[in-house]
Amino acid sequence: MKWLLGRFKYAWQGIRWGLLKDKSIRFQLLGGALAALAAYVLDCSLWEWLWILLCITLVIVAETLNSCIERCVDYISLERDPRAKVIKDMAAAAVMIVCAFALISAIVIMVPKLMN
């Protein structure tokens, strides 16, 4: 049991670090909070809320992984290397793809509600 509790402790430390030190994660959390506020104001259904929460979660996870990859690459070497650039660019692309999915989902869910 102590081992399991230790894992939660490490995870919470990671969440805390991301919230306090990483501007990109905070920015994505702000976007997620605005999406949740819009879902509340537009009186979204349970299923719509689940899609919105899934999108928020995916974006935050993708941004967290992107930040980890960037830090790992910087930790390995601070020298400019075209291979490091490709790694960082691909990680950023993953975030962009998830954000595009979230945006499309928001449009599909929220635009019809705004039209009424």
Side-chain angles (χ1 to χ4, degrees):
M1 186 68 161
K2 186 175 180 180
W3 174 85
L4 181 62
L5 292 176
R7 300 299 169 242
F8 282 109
K9 175 184 168 188
Y10 300 139
W12 282 112
Q13 287 174 347
I15 290 170
R16 183 173 181 261
W17 194 94
L19 291 174
L20 296 177
K21 305 279 183 172
D22 194 298
K23 292 178 185 176
S24 297
I25 293 172
R26 286 197 312 264
F27 178 76
Q28 298 296 2
L29 282 169
L30 174 62
L34 292 174
L37 179 62
Y40 176 78
V41 169
L42 295 173
D43 196 29
C44 287
S45 71
L46 174 64
W47 288 106
E48 291 166 335
W49 265 104
L50 288 174
W51 275 105
I52 292 164
L53 292 174
L54 173 64
C55 289
I56 292 168
T57 301
L58 288 173
V59 168
I60 293 169
V61 167
E63 188 61 62
T64 302
L65 291 172
N66 178 48
S67 293
C68 290
I69 290 167
E70 288 181 354
R71 291 185 193 293
C72 284
V73 170
D74 290 344
Y75 175 75
I76 292 168
S77 175
L78 291 175
E79 295 177 22
R80 296 221 178 239
D81 185 312
R83 296 171 296 184
K85 181 183 182 333
V86 169
I87 293 167
K88 288 181 164 190
D89 289 351
M90 290 179 71
V95 176
M96 187 180 72
I97 291 166
V98 172
C99 287
F101 171 73
L103 178 62
I104 291 166
S105 298
I107 290 168
V108 168
I109 292 170
M110 296 181 185
V111 167
K113 292 181 175 299
L114 292 170
M115 300 300 236
N116 289 336

